[in-house]
């Protein structure tokens, strides 16, 4: 199969308007084209979102023209016009004749068009109907089908990224347009519709058998044959479809990570013609001493290249398929244990503790995303020691660039199917649409080394069980049919070797305690939504925490990008328009009142909010890592933003790291020390409680999430507020691979509640690789002294000095766009050298918790 279109040009306009056409980009979108033509304002600025939403009540028309290679088309047995992504409700014409109707942005739309083509210029016309009007009309027809109140009514009725209609971190900007490539493809004899690769390792992983299972569609047929598989699909024509493929050969080339060819166009075909049993077969390819792919922090990510060709008896190549793959054994363990049932990733027979965050679409205007931007985001994950990332089910199936980056950098991907916080009615048309959607995306993504598991949906088992959003018995029945019958049955055909989990959170389906702390995965929101203190995390020992989070404001520079000076108050109209979680700005202030002195300006308030967020997630992650084995994953909500907003993200829309991302770099470190302290926070938050003997103690723990035993020295000090040492101890430790170990609890009755603190360090080879401090009271009541901070640059390093104890030191440049080897760290006096990873260290400033007053 070969792409033969040339000279594509596109234009667009509002369908009902008298205005002229404007140039359009494909791939692209309505919003992007209008912005580039100067016909709308930036929808992210102030409250421009409202006017942008109003625009989407209109219909839009795109017109394109193209030429093609006439010789290739004449020699082809079939010519296909493929739309890789149409957003969303669209009617398509080719050369003035109706071609088809699209209604799902998540799938591919493909048409056989050889007889419709003209030898010179060809035209495509696509009318995109208003998604706003569409969901409104559908809601009126069936108001019982509801979803989260943060999105627009009727959003579950359209197969479009749900977040586009608003979420509790996202705007209501339901864009439209041709969001992926349009291709004209010439087919000779047959083409691949998919290639499935299966890896079967021997017991000690010293050899792997690689099976190649292609699906082929002969020219002129609507359906396909799965070569070498156990099932075949019925063809459209009366003549046997097998007659079309019995003389085809499958040739495979395997190239190792160093460029050496292990197999060179090896013909794996044994018998493509149907045998008596209806089954076909092929030889497997054996790779001895495979170079295994590992998650980040556990090893390297070597990638092999596999090329599969479909050739006829004369050696003519009809189609080819080439991808990079990682050789690894990927599983999930749900084995029963003394606590219930574990939930753990297993790679190459090794259970590892998942550390990462939840990923949402990178933008509401999809044409602003790029391979470079996606790769940069994944690099930031690796910089923070992630080994895992969860793709949330209310957005989009990620691009190939996302998965390529995860393959290369070692992030195991939890992939939700795109269903979230809503109810769906299972009609025949809906079933056909969602199964086509899943099949397209499973086939596109299943070869990736990083793909760890498929998950049916986000939070719907939990909410359907509770009867949320009109989930009556009929909807409960449809839920089970979709996620516990249709989806696993499809995966048995398309990706049987991958783990499937019906929902997140879940204990495995059947509405069996989907939020149980003792089985499966959990979304825990009592800290934040439930207004519980950070210490609440320590009451639980979840098996795998796939969502938990805490909000903060983005950098003051990000706030300035969408506000005027008069807007810069957290309770202003514009600031609340960029805060989509109801009353959340007040919630941040409530937690701030419990923790810090009242900030004296917006910039300081933003700094304090980011420390709150970072401390909250640190409190949870360190607790769960201390209890490794019982808990085997902490994936916080959320990694990124799709527009400039106050949210749960650790990296804001413009790529600025919040305090949380620097904290994550430390609390996800493979070899790490943490401290479980007892003090006022764990006993009472009431300043005026009747006096009592406050328990003051510490218990240190060392976590080792690497494949080798680690030796080190743990030190701790009881210090005065100026940083001077009152007491200190140290201990040599040997921590087994993939474990955590507790040190002896230390009672500290002599410590002052408000003027003493604990510092602690983990040394390896006489170098501090992990450290921190803890207080026995809320920071607002600690008797901080002016730390006397100073900062200077020396080459590619920043040197920060303090005269006294300084907590959560932030280093900034004028544009607040530095990325450093560390930031928001503590100093007990002395100085610390920080590497500059990105940005210009001009006009530096530093501050600490002492500045919050």
């Amino acid at each position: 199969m070969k792409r033969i279109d040339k000279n594509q040009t596109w234009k667009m306009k509002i369908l009902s308007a008298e205005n002229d056409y404007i140039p359009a980009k494909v791939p692209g979108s309505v919003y992007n084209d209008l912005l580039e033509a100067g016909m709308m304002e930036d929808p992210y600025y102030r409250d421009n979102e409202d006017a942008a939403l109003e625009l989407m009540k209109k219909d839009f028309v795109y017109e394109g023209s193209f030429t093609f290679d006439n010789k290739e088309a004449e020699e082809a047995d079939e010519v296909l016009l493929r739309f890789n992504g149409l957003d969303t409700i669209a009617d398509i014409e080719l050369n003035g004749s109706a071609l088809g109707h699209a209604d799902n942005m998540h799938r591919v739309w493909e048409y056989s068009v050889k007889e419709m083509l003209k030898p010179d210029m060809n035209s495509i016309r696509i009318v995109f109907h208003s998604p706003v009007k569409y969901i409104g009309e559908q809601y009126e027809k069936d108001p019982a089908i509801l979803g989260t109140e943060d999105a627009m009514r009727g959003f579950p009725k359209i197969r479009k990224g749900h977040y586009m209609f608003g979420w509790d971190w996202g705007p209501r900007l339901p864009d439209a347009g041709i969001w992926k490539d349009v291709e004209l493809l010439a087919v000779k004899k047959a083409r691949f519709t998919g290639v499935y690769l299966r890896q079967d390792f021997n017991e000690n992983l010293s050899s792997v058998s690689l099976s190649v299972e292609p699906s082929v569609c002969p020219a002129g047929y609507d359906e396909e044959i799965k070569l070498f598989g156990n099932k075949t699909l019925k063809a459209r024509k009366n003549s046997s479809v097998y007659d079309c493929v019995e003389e085809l050969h499958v040739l495979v080339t395997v190239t190792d990570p160093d460029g050496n060819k292990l197999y060179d166009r090896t013909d794996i075909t044994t018998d493509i013609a149907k045998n008596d049993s209806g089954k076909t077969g092929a030889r497997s390819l054996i790779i001895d001493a495979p170079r295994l792919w590992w998650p980040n922090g556990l090893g390297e990510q070597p990638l092999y290249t596999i090329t599969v060709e479909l050739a006829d008896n004369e050696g003519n190549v009809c189609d080819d398929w080439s991808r990079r793959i990682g050789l690894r054994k990927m599983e999930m363990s749900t084995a029963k244990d003394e606590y219930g049932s574990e939930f753990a990733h297993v790679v190459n027979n090794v259970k590892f503790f998942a550390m990462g965050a939840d990923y949402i679409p990178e933008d509401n205007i999809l044409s602003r995303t790029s391979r470079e931007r996606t790769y940069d985001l994944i690099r930031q994950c690796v910089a923070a020691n992630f080994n895992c990332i969860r793709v949330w089910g209310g957005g989009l199936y990620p691009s190939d660039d996302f998965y390529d980056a995860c393959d290369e950098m070692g992030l195991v991907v939890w992939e939700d199917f795109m269903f979230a916080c809503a109810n769906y009615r299972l009609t025949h048309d809906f079933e056909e649409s969602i199964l086509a959607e899943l099949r397209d995306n499973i086939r596109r993504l299943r070869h990736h080394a990083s793909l760890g598991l498929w998950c049916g949906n986000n939070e719907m088992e939990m909410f359907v069980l509770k009867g949320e959003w009109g989930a009556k018995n009929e909807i409960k029945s449809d839920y089970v049919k979709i996620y516990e019958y249709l989806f696993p049955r499809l995966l048995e055909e398309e990706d049987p070797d991958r783990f499937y989990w019906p929902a997140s959170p879940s204990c495995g389906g059947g509405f069996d305690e989907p939020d149980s702390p003792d089985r499966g995965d959990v979304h825990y929101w009592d800290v934040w939504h439930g207004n519980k203190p950070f210490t609440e995390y320590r009451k639980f020992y979840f098996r795998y925490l796939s969502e938990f989070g805490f909000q903060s404001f983005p950098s003051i520079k990000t706030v300035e990008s969408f506000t005027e000076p008069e807007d810069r108050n957290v309770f202003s109209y514009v600031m609340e328009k960029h805060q989509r979680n109801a009353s959340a700005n007040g919630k941040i202030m409530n937690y701030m009142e419990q923790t810090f002195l009242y900030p004296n300006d917006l910039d300081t308030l933003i700094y304090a909010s980011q420390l709150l967020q970072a401390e909250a997630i640190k409190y949870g992650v360190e607790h769960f890592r201390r209890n490794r084995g019982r808990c085997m994953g902490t994936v916080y909500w959320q990694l990124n933003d799709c527009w400039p907003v106050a949210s749960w993200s650790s990296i804001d829309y413009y790529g600025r790291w919040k305090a949380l991302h620097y904290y994550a770099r430390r609390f996800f470190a493979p070899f790490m020390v943490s401290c479980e302290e007892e003090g006022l926070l764990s006993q009472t938050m009431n300043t005026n409680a009747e006096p009592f003997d406050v328990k003051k103690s510490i218990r240190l723990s060392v976590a080792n999430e690497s494949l080798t035993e680690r030796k080190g020295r743990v030190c701790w000090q009881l210090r005065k507020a100026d940083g001077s040492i009152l007491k200190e101890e140290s201990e040599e430790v040997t921590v087994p691979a993939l474990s955590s170990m507790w040190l002896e609890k230390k009672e500290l009755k002599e410590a002052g509640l408000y003027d003493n603190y604990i510092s602690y360090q983990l040394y390896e080879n006489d170098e501090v690789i992990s450290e921190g401090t803890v207080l026995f009271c809320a920071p607002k009541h600690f008797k901080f002294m002016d730390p006397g901070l100073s900062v200077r640059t020396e080459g590619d390093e920043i040197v920060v000095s303090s005269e006294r104890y300084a907590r959560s030191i932030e280093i900034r440049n004028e544009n607040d766009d530095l990325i450093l080897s560390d930031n928001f760290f503590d100093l007990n006096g002395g100085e610390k050298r920080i590497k500059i990873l990105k940005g210009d260290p001009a006009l530096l400033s530093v501050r600490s918790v002492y500045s919050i007053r």
Side-chain angles (χ1 to χ4, degrees):
M1 186 165 63
K2 184 177 181 181
R3 183 171 180 174
I4 61 173
D5 59 279
K6 298 186 290 187
N7 306 315
Q8 277 193 32
T9 60
W10 291 90
K11 59 186 180 179
M12 63 86 72
K13 61 173 286 187
I14 299 171
L15 181 64
S16 59
E18 298 295 326
N19 60 295
D20 295 331
Y21 280 93
I22 61 173
K25 286 185 178 179
V26 171
S29 76
V30 166
Y31 282 152
N32 189 68
D33 292 333
L34 293 175
L35 283 164
E36 294 209 351
M39 295 178 64
M40 68 177 286
E41 300 293 328
D42 177 4
Y44 298 167
Y45 184 68
R46 302 194 85 198
D47 62 349
N48 286 348
E49 170 199 353
D50 294 343
L53 176 61
E54 193 68 23
L55 276 172
M56 294 315 298
K57 294 179 180 178
K58 303 178 184 298
D59 298 338
F60 295 85
V61 58
Y62 276 74
E63 291 192 2
S65 61
F66 66 91
T67 60
F68 61 91
D69 189 318
N70 286 322
K71 182 180 178 184
E72 291 279 2
E74 288 171 6
E75 294 177 353
D77 296 308
E78 185 173 26
V79 178
L80 301 172
L81 184 59
R82 176 184 291 169
F83 299 89
N84 288 295
L86 296 174
D87 180 16
T88 294
I89 308 298
D91 290 307
I92 310 160
E93 295 178 3
L94 176 63
N95 294 326
S97 297
L99 190 61
H101 175 77
D103 59 5
N104 187 329
M105 80 173 291
H106 300 302
R107 58 164 297 191
V108 173
W109 298 91
E110 194 172 80
Y111 305 93
S112 185
V113 297
K114 183 174 181 178
E115 305 306 320
M116 299 175 69
L117 294 174
K118 295 180 179 179
D120 45 16
M121 191 66 69
N122 291 262
S123 64
I124 302 173
R125 186 173 189 267
I126 307 175
V127 174
F128 287 96
H129 300 282
S130 164
V132 175
K133 286 185 177 178
Y134 180 84
I135 65 169
E137 291 165 358
Q138 295 301 312
Y139 175 76
E140 291 299 323
K141 292 177 183 178
D142 189 4
I145 299 301
L146 300 170
T148 175
E149 294 79 6
D150 295 304
M152 298 174 68
R153 285 182 300 183
F155 79 88
K157 303 293 289 185
I158 186 172
R159 290 309 298 151
K160 177 179 174 67
H162 288 345
Y163 82 107
M164 294 178 161
F165 294 100
W167 218 259
D168 57 3
W169 38 259
R172 297 185 181 101
L173 292 172
D175 205 352
I178 308 169
W179 75 289
K180 291 188 177 181
D181 285 332
V182 179
E183 305 171 291
L184 192 69
L185 304 166
V187 181
K188 294 183 180 179
K189 293 190 178 179
R191 62 189 171 105
F192 288 133
T193 53
V195 176
Y196 188 44
L197 306 176
R198 306 187 79 166
Q199 302 178 30
D200 184 16
F201 284 88
N202 64 0
E203 188 173 351
N204 64 2
L205 308 183
S206 63
S207 179
V208 60
S209 173
L210 186 65
S211 301
V212 181
E213 299 182 1
S215 300
V216 171
C217 184
Y221 286 79
D222 282 343
E223 297 186 83
E224 62 185 14
I225 301 171
K226 290 189 174 182
L227 304 183
F228 323 139
N230 292 330
K231 295 182 180 180
T232 58
L233 298 177
K234 192 175 180 181
R236 179 183 63 186
K237 295 185 176 180
N238 292 328
S239 59
S240 172
V241 68
Y242 295 98
D243 295 339
C244 303
V245 298
E246 61 184 357
E247 296 183 353
L248 294 176
H249 296 264
V250 178
L251 312 177
V252 179
T253 300
V254 179
T255 306
D256 74 12
D258 296 326
N260 304 306
K261 287 187 177 179
L262 307 182
Y263 293 90
D264 190 0
R265 304 195 77 213
T266 299
D267 191 340
I268 65 169
T269 312
T270 57
D271 179 18
I272 294 183
K274 181 173 71 172
N275 59 31
D276 292 339
S277 66
K279 297 181 181 180
T280 55
R283 59 178 284 204
S284 297
L285 306 176
I286 305 301
I287 300 175
D288 291 323
R291 294 168 60 180
L292 299 178
W293 184 96
W294 290 95
N296 179 43
L298 295 180
E300 297 182 344
Q301 295 80 42
L303 297 174
Y304 291 70
T305 300
I306 183 164
T307 299
V308 186
E309 296 172 289
L310 188 66
D312 62 20
N313 277 342
E314 289 73 44
N316 300 308
V317 175
C318 307
D319 201 0
D320 60 59
W321 181 95
S322 187
R323 301 290 189 274
R324 293 182 306 163
I325 67 169
L327 301 179
R328 84 289 180 273
K329 187 178 179 182
M330 182 85 77
E331 303 167 288
M332 292 293 294
S333 174
T334 58
K336 292 184 182 299
D337 60 17
E338 61 185 302
Y339 308 109
S341 298
E342 71 177 356
F343 196 77
H345 295 279
V346 186
V347 175
N348 303 327
N349 297 333
V350 172
K351 291 178 188 175
F352 70 92
F353 189 99
M355 302 183 289
D358 296 282
Y359 168 86
I360 66 170
E362 294 169 43
D363 216 301
N364 265 84
I365 301 175
L366 298 180
S367 52
R368 291 181 174 177
T369 62
S370 66
R371 181 178 179 85
E372 179 183 7
R373 181 174 171 185
T374 297
Y375 262 72
D376 187 61
L377 183 62
I378 300 303
R379 277 191 287 268
Q380 310 315 316
C381 296
V382 173
N385 293 307
F386 285 26
N387 59 27
C388 177
I389 191 168
R390 173 175 172 250
V391 177
W392 169 75
L396 307 168
Y397 297 94
S399 66
D400 296 319
D401 298 330
F402 173 90
Y403 271 93
D404 287 345
C406 292
D407 287 349
E408 293 173 22
M409 297 183 230
L411 296 191
V412 173
V413 182
W414 172 314
E415 175 65 54
D416 281 3
F417 293 129
M418 292 300 116
F419 303 84
C421 299
N423 295 323
Y424 306 90
R425 194 178 299 285
L426 185 60
T427 63
H428 176 77
D429 288 345
F430 188 71
E431 176 180 343
E432 185 178 86
S433 178
I434 60 177
L435 290 181
E437 166 191 323
L438 262 65
R439 183 175 286 109
D440 283 350
N441 286 286
I442 292 166
R443 291 186 175 188
R444 180 171 65 88
L445 300 174
R446 65 189 176 185
H447 70 277
H448 283 284
S450 56
L451 179 55
L453 71 146
W454 300 107
C455 179
N457 66 76
N458 174 76
E459 295 188 340
M460 289 166 46
E461 182 182 1
M462 174 177 70
F463 284 125
V464 169
L465 176 62
K466 295 176 181 177
E468 292 284 341
W469 306 314
K472 306 298 183 184
N473 287 340
E474 180 185 357
I475 296 303
K476 289 182 178 180
S477 174
D478 285 350
Y479 174 92
V480 173
K481 291 173 187 173
I482 294 171
Y483 304 105
E484 299 182 19
Y485 176 68
L486 290 176
F487 288 4
R489 188 181 66 172
L490 180 66
L491 284 164
E492 285 176 5
E493 296 179 6
E494 299 292 346
D495 197 9
D497 298 337
R498 196 93 49 186
F499 182 83
Y500 173 70
W501 195 237
S504 181
S506 181
C507 285
F511 303 115
D512 178 20
E513 292 187 274
D515 53 358
S516 169
D518 300 319
R519 295 175 293 149
D521 72 308
V522 167
H523 294 188
Y524 180 72
W525 284 104
D526 278 358
V527 176
W528 182 256
H529 287 308
N531 296 307
K532 296 290 182 67
F534 306 163
T535 51
E536 200 74 7
Y537 288 121
R538 292 184 183 173
K539 296 180 180 179
F540 298 95
Y541 301 89
F542 302 118
R543 311 316 303 269
Y544 190 112
L545 202 51
S546 51
E547 271 194 30
F548 66 115
F550 198 96
Q551 273 206 8
S552 70
F553 297 106
S555 161
I556 187 65
K557 291 298 180 183
T558 297
V559 170
E560 288 171 358
S561 75
F562 63 81
T563 60
E564 291 293 329
E566 61 268 26
D567 303 324
R568 292 167 195 161
N569 182 299
V570 296
F571 298 118
S572 74
Y573 174 74
V574 169
M575 288 291 285
E576 291 191 341
K577 288 290 284 185
H578 289 251
Q579 166 57 275
R580 308 313 285 247
N581 184 213
S583 304
N585 288 357
K587 190 183 294 287
I588 291 172
M589 298 306 295
N590 175 53
Y591 275 102
M592 194 171 297
E593 176 272 328
Q594 299 172 37
T595 310
F596 295 119
L597 296 176
Y598 194 83
N600 50 25
D601 56 39
L602 178 61
D603 186 29
T604 306
L605 188 153
I606 289 170
Y607 167 64
S609 79
Q610 292 193 12
L611 295 186
L612 278 173
Q613 177 190 37
E615 290 287 343
I617 304 306
K618 173 189 172 185
Y619 219 88
V621 171
E622 291 187 346
H623 165 70
F624 295 114
R625 287 197 68 184
R626 289 192 288 264
N627 290 278
R628 187 200 190 280
R630 187 169 180 180
C631 179
M632 286 300 290
T634 50
V635 179
Y636 67 76
W637 185 271
Q638 68 204 67
L639 171 64
N640 59 308
D641 286 325
C642 62
W643 75 313
V645 65
S647 79
W648 296 270
S649 71
S650 61
I651 300 177
D652 79 16
Y653 175 73
Y654 293 107
R656 295 184 172 103
W657 286 26
K658 296 180 180 179
L660 173 55
H661 212 71
Y662 285 103
Y663 273 51
R665 183 176 169 90
R666 297 194 290 267
F667 61 58
F668 283 156
F671 197 30
M672 177 205 73
V673 62
S674 67
C675 180
E676 183 180 86
E677 86 294 341
E678 278 188 299
L680 283 170
L681 294 184
S682 60
Q683 294 166 73
T684 182
M685 297 288 286
N686 183 359
T687 305
N688 296 306
E690 183 176 342
F692 67 101
D693 288 331
V694 178
K695 294 178 182 178
K696 290 162 288 183
S697 69
I698 61 166
R699 194 178 183 196
L700 298 172
S701 175
V702 183
N704 176 13
E705 200 60 32
S706 57
L707 293 178
T708 58
E709 176 183 273
R710 303 283 285 267
K711 296 179 182 292
R713 186 173 82 258
V714 175
C715 304
W716 65 268
Q717 304 83 31
L718 175 64
R719 296 179 184 262
K720 295 181 180 180
D722 64 2
S724 59
I725 296 174
L726 294 170
K727 180 180 181 179
E728 59 184 326
E729 292 184 12
S730 66
E731 179 179 345
E732 299 295 326
V733 295
T734 299
V735 189
L738 303 167
S739 71
S740 66
M741 63 177 288
W742 287 99
L743 277 62
E744 182 183 351
K745 184 176 181 179
K746 302 292 181 179
E747 301 288 349
L748 295 165
K749 294 181 180 179
E750 72 274 27
L753 278 175
Y754 306 108
D755 56 2
N756 288 170
Y757 72 98
I758 296 292
S759 60
Y760 52 90
Q761 306 84 31
L762 172 62
Y763 287 82
E764 187 176 40
N765 299 323
D766 295 322
E767 179 183 354
V768 175
I769 62 167
S770 178
E771 60 182 328
T773 69
V774 293
L775 307 177
F776 296 109
C777 66
K780 66 180 180 179
H781 293 153
F782 188 77
K783 297 177 181 177
F784 286 106
M785 303 172 69
D786 185 343
L789 291 173
S790 62
V791 61
R792 67 184 189 276
T793 56
E794 292 184 4
D796 65 349
E797 291 185 327
I798 295 172
V799 183
V800 178
S801 301
S802 73
E803 298 171 6
R804 286 166 287 279
Y805 174 45
R807 185 175 175 87
S808 303
I809 298 169
E810 181 190 20
I811 307 167
R812 292 190 295 176
N813 63 358
E814 186 177 26
N815 198 42
D816 197 11
D817 58 2
L818 289 174
I819 295 180
L820 306 172
S821 62
D822 201 3
N823 208 349
F824 298 92
F825 54 85
D826 303 341
L827 264 184
N828 303 301
E831 68 177 32
K832 182 168 182 172
R833 292 180 173 270
I834 306 296
K835 287 287 187 183
I836 302 166
L837 305 180
K838 183 180 178 181
D840 180 6
L843 300 174
L844 293 177
S845 62
V846 287
R847 59 182 168 181
S848 70
V849 171
Y850 179 79
S851 304
I852 305 174
R853 57 187 60 241

